[in-house]
Amino acid sequence: MSEVSEQFLPTIKHNPGIFIFKWPNGIEVTVSRMRSDHGDVYGEVVFRSNDKHLHQTKLNFLAARYPTEIANFMERNSGGEFWVTLLKQLAFHVLRIYREGDPVVRLSSSSGLEKVEYLLYPILPLGHPTVIFGEGGVGKSTLALLMSLMVDLALDVEALGGITPSKRVNGLYLDYETNERDIAWKLRGLSKGLNLPETTLLYRRSALPLTEDAPRLHEIILERDIGFLVIDSAGVACGGDLNSAEPVNNMFATLRQMGITSLVLAHTSKEERRVKTPYGSVFFMYQPRSVWELRRVQDISKGEMNLALVHRKANVSALCDPLALNLKFQDNSIMVTSLDINEMPEMSSFLPLEERMTNALSNGLMTEQELANELDITMGEVSGIMRRLLAQGRVRKFTLGWGLA
């Protein structure tokens, strides 16, 4: 190993809570599981040389005996007279990055900002968490696996309307509910249904709550260059009472630290209401930037069903029109086909109210009471929508009721 000078600097890769330093002489140092305690800053440190493990320890980067004590140890056991310089560089950069956080920036209304970016339009806004919720057995895991394949292979899949990921990224599937065998079976079925060659996907069986598992996940994201994360599902990942705000907010705070696109699968609330929400705290609706509901609309036959993916909440765009899918399990394959929701009466209730109202009026004149009965909404909702449609020039008021313009 060659010596290093005072001006010799390492290359640094870091995510929240993890740092990887590499020097040209082959020394690599990983610092993880950072914490502060009574003004001191600690971290677990692993030393390697050309991929050979040298030493692992916990360091206090502000201790008076640092770096002399650990440098003497490394010199005795690994050789080289550069360790004091290297360790001073290590402490300087670790403390600087750990303390400074994200920079303060000045925003300008004249900045040439692009429109909102998506990893997979319109479902996955880039760099933000998305929630898809639904009843058990409705196909949430299958859909999440399909999207994982799409972004991992940059696939244009007709099943989701022919949409294409904006870029290819490595995906990681965190499974809190089943096991490797079950997910591998679905992966094989989707690959067969899509006529793909042999495909692979990064998978990890998980049991610890996301906040407790975060140090290792930060390492994996950095090591594997992960750009898309699936959480299947929120129940165990939260690690607490789902009706309490704290564990839910902690999970989303951890996802924010990771800074990558993520998809959280959740179950449906048991409350009886026309518009469903995820089970648990209201923060399952407040924290993610986009929330979709996956609903079984019609069982066609054994192993085949029609599904609706309905946009329930959006922070970065207007609500999108529902997506209609056919999911079919046959001969060890899983086929997912896009459907035209406008041609499926059983899915019409998922369309925007304005569209449902104009569809109803396409059959002839209707009174406001008839529209309210037909669409199962209040008279007040009908009146408000008709005023908007009238202002847009899409409807007219006739003697016998409302009609299309």
Side-chain angles (χ1 to χ4, degrees):
M1 294 180 290
S2 62
E3 307 301 330
V4 295
S5 68
E6 292 289 336
Q7 290 76 37
F8 196 83
L9 297 176
T11 59
I12 307 170
K13 293 173 64 178
H14 66 90
N15 268 353
I18 178 172
F19 305 81
I20 298 177
F21 293 77
K22 292 184 179 181
W23 283 264
N25 66 340
I27 295 295
E28 177 179 324
V29 180
T30 301
V31 182
S32 63
R33 290 168 170 79
M34 301 286 296
R35 67 180 180 87
S36 298
D37 186 16
H38 295 92
D40 289 325
V41 179
Y42 297 88
E44 293 185 16
V45 184
V46 177
F47 296 90
R48 298 182 182 89
S49 175
N50 296 312
D51 295 327
K52 177 184 177 182
H53 180 83
L54 297 179
H55 185 53
Q56 182 170 349
T57 187
K58 182 175 74 172
L59 292 180
N60 178 358
F61 292 98
L62 292 171
R65 60 180 181 273
Y66 176 94
T68 305
E69 185 176 284
I70 188 66
N72 290 337
F73 176 87
M74 296 305 297
E75 288 175 7
R76 289 195 306 270
N77 290 274
S78 304
E81 298 178 356
F82 50 80
W83 287 104
V84 170
T85 298
L86 186 148
L87 288 163
K88 285 181 178 179
Q89 293 174 353
L90 179 70
F92 172 79
H93 291 294
V94 166
L95 291 171
R96 174 181 60 84
I97 297 170
Y98 180 75
R99 287 169 169 171
E100 70 183 7
D102 290 339
V104 175
V105 298
R106 184 176 295 279
L107 301 180
S108 170
S109 60
S110 61
S111 298
L113 298 177
E114 299 294 329
K115 61 181 181 180
V116 174
E117 292 184 282
Y118 287 82
L119 179 59
L120 190 65
Y121 180 83
I123 301 172
L124 302 174
L126 187 65
H128 293 292
T130 293
V131 165
I132 292 181
F133 70 96
E135 301 289 348
V138 77
K140 299 186 295 296
S141 298
T142 302
L143 184 60
L145 273 174
L146 174 63
M147 288 189 278
S148 297
L149 281 175
M150 291 177 70
V151 301
D152 203 80
L153 302 175
L155 290 176
D156 180 337
V157 177
E158 192 63 34
L160 291 180
I163 60 178
T164 305
S166 61
K167 59 180 179 179
R168 190 216 157 268
V169 300
N170 294 325
L172 174 62
Y173 198 101
L174 297 183
D175 179 14
Y176 290 85
E177 292 193 346
T178 59
N179 54 46
E180 180 180 345
R181 180 185 178 90
D182 290 350
I183 299 300
W185 183 88
K186 289 183 179 180
L187 178 64
R188 183 180 66 178
L190 281 170
S191 298
K192 186 177 179 181
L194 295 171
N195 293 316
L196 297 175
E198 181 179 351
T199 55
T200 63
L201 193 68
L202 292 176
Y203 167 92
R204 185 169 185 258
R205 184 178 179 276
S206 300
L208 289 175
L210 195 69
T211 52
E212 294 182 30
D213 208 16
R216 178 55 187 147
L217 290 174
H218 286 309
E219 293 174 0
I220 294 171
I221 289 169
L222 207 57
E223 293 166 358
R224 300 276 192 160
D225 192 25
I226 302 299
F228 176 54
L229 188 69
V230 174
I231 311 295
D232 184 9
S233 64
V236 180
C238 278
D241 180 4
L242 295 185
N243 290 298
S244 174
E246 184 176 3
V248 178
N249 284 332
N250 287 343
M251 183 188 72
F252 282 106
T254 301
L255 290 174
R256 181 173 175 81
Q257 284 185 334
M258 293 174 180
I260 61 176
T261 309
S262 57
L263 172 62
V264 179
L265 304 184
H267 293 282
T268 301
S269 171
K270 296 179 180 178
E271 295 180 18
E272 293 297 328
R273 56 176 70 181
R274 191 176 72 196
V275 177
K276 296 291 187 179
T277 58
Y279 176 81
S281 166
V282 293
F283 287 98
F284 277 115
M285 289 292 292
Y286 295 165
Q287 287 283 8
R289 301 301 86 189
S290 189
V291 178
W292 295 76
E293 180 187 6
L294 186 63
R295 297 188 69 170
R296 180 191 286 110
V297 178
Q298 185 180 29
D299 286 316
I300 306 300
S301 62
K302 184 178 180 180
E304 182 179 2
M305 55 188 169
N306 288 339
L307 307 172
L309 188 60
V310 186
H311 207 187
R312 295 302 190 192
K313 182 244 183 163
N315 276 96
V316 294
S317 70
L319 289 175
C320 300
D321 289 341
L323 300 174
L325 310 170
N326 175 268
L327 188 63
K328 187 175 183 179
F329 298 83
Q330 184 178 31
D331 298 329
N332 293 322
S333 69
I334 303 174
M335 289 168 282
V336 186
T337 308
S338 179
L339 304 173
D340 185 349
I341 199 168
N342 292 295
E343 296 179 0
M344 306 183 68
E346 66 273 12
M347 290 194 179
S348 63
S349 62
F350 301 117
L351 293 169
L353 278 174
E354 289 185 3
E355 192 169 344
R356 293 172 60 197
M357 196 163 289
T358 55
N359 287 344
L361 292 176
S362 65
N363 298 318
L365 299 181
M366 297 182 70
T367 66
E368 291 191 5
Q369 184 63 62
E370 288 171 335
L371 285 167
N373 294 338
E374 173 77 15
L375 303 179
D376 191 25
I377 59 178
T378 66
M379 288 286 289
E381 288 175 304
V382 172
S383 298
I385 294 170
M386 296 313 295
R387 284 195 297 270
R388 290 198 298 273
L389 293 175
L390 183 63
Q392 296 166 10
R394 297 170 61 186
V395 298
R396 290 177 58 190
K397 181 68 178 291
F398 297 90
T399 303
L400 297 179
W402 289 93
L404 297 178

